[in-house]
C-alpha cells in the first residue's frame, strides 16, 4: 500500500468526524441544555461511543482473518435469530419493532449485523472458486435469510442498504 494514500484516508475520516461533531453540537446544544442542564451532553455521549469505536477498530486490526471470519459467522447466526425474534415479538421502542430485549439490554440486530454481513459476503465472494458447494449454500442461505428477515420488517431502508452492499461486493 502507498502510505501517502492511507494518510489521506485517515485525514478525510478525521475531517468527517469533526464535521459530525460540529453538526451534532449545532443541532442538539439547546435541547440538551433544556432537558439535561448540560449543553454538551450529546457531545460527551458521542465522544464515549467514538472512543469505543476506535478501541474496537484497534482490536479488529490485531485479529487474524480466520478468527475474524469465525466471529462474523457466529455473530451473523446470533443476529439472524435476533431478527426472527423481532418478527415474532411485539416489543417496540418509540414505535419501532426492530429491537430485541434481553432483560435490561436492548439491541437492534440489523444495526449490529452491518460489519458482519460485509465480512461474510466478502468472504463468500472472495473464496467462491475454492469453497465446497455445501459451504456456498450455507453462506448464501444465511445471507438471503438475513435479507428476507430485514425486508419483512417495516424498515425498508436497511434492506436496501444491505442489498446495495451485497451487489457492490458481488461486482468488485
Amino acid at each position: 500500500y502507498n502510505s501517502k494514500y492511507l494518510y489521506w484516508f485517515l485525514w478525510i475520516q478525521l475531517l468527517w468526524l469533526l464535521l459530525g461533531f460540529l453538526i451534532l453540537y449545532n443541532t442538539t446544544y439547546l435541547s440538551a441544555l433544556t432537558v439535561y442542564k448540560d449543553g454538551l451532553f450529546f457531545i460527551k455521549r458521542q465522544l464515549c461511543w467514538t472512543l469505543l469505536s476506535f478501541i474496537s477498530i484497534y482490536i479488529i486490526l490485531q485479529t487474524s482473518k480466520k478468527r475474524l471470519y469465525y466471529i462474523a459467522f457466529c455473530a451473523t447466526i446470533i443476529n439472524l435469530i435476533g431478527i426472527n425474534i423481532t418478527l415474532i415479538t411485539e416489543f417496540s421502542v418509540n414505535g419501532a419493532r426492530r429491537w430485541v430485549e434481553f432483560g435490561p439490554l436492548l439491541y437492534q440486530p440489523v444495526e449490529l449485523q452491518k460489519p458482519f454481513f460485509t465480512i461474510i459476503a466478502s468472504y463468500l465472494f472472495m473464496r467462491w472458486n475454492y469453497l465446497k458447494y455445501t459451504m456456498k449454500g450455507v453462506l448464501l442461505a444465511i445471507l438471503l435469510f438475513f435479507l428476507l428477515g430485514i425486508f419483512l420488517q417495516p424498515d425498508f431502508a436497511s434492506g436496501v442498504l444491505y442489498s446495495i452492499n451485497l451487489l457492490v461486493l458481488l461486482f468488485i
Side-chain angles (χ1 to χ4, degrees), residues 2-14:
N2 188 341
S3 62
K4 175 183 168 186
Y5 296 114
L6 292 177
Y7 283 118
W8 273 104
F9 182 71
L10 176 65
W11 285 112
I12 290 170
Q13 293 299 317
L14 289 175

Side-chain angles (χ1 to χ4, degrees), residues 112-162:
L112 285 180
Q113 182 59 27
K114 287 177 182 173
F116 303 122
F117 186 87
T118 304
I119 291 169
I120 292 292
S122 64
Y123 176 78
L124 174 66
F125 297 137
M126 181 179 64
R127 309 257 324 159
W128 184 262
N129 294 331
Y130 306 107
L131 292 174
K132 294 179 182 177
Y133 287 111
T134 54
M135 188 59 153
K136 288 178 189 177
V138 167
L139 291 176
L140 275 175
I142 288 172
L143 292 176
L144 293 177
F145 278 127
F146 195 82
L147 283 175
L148 179 66
I150 292 172
F151 278 115
L152 289 175
Q153 292 181 348
D155 183 20
F156 186 70
S158 288
V160 170
L161 179 72
Y162 277 96

Side-chain angles (χ1 to χ4, degrees), residues 60-78:
I60 288 170
L61 288 175
Q62 301 303 317
T63 306
S64 69
K65 276 197 245 180
K66 188 175 182 179
R67 185 165 174 85
L68 196 61
Y69 292 142
Y70 178 76
I71 292 168
F73 183 77
C74 292
T76 299
I77 298 299
I78 291 168

Side-chain angles (χ1 to χ4, degrees), residues 86 89-99 108 153-155:
T86 63
T89 63
E90 294 295 322
F91 181 76
S92 67
V93 174
N94 296 329
R97 293 186 48 227
R98 298 178 296 271
W99 292 85
Q108 281 185 293
Q153 292 181 348
D155 183 20

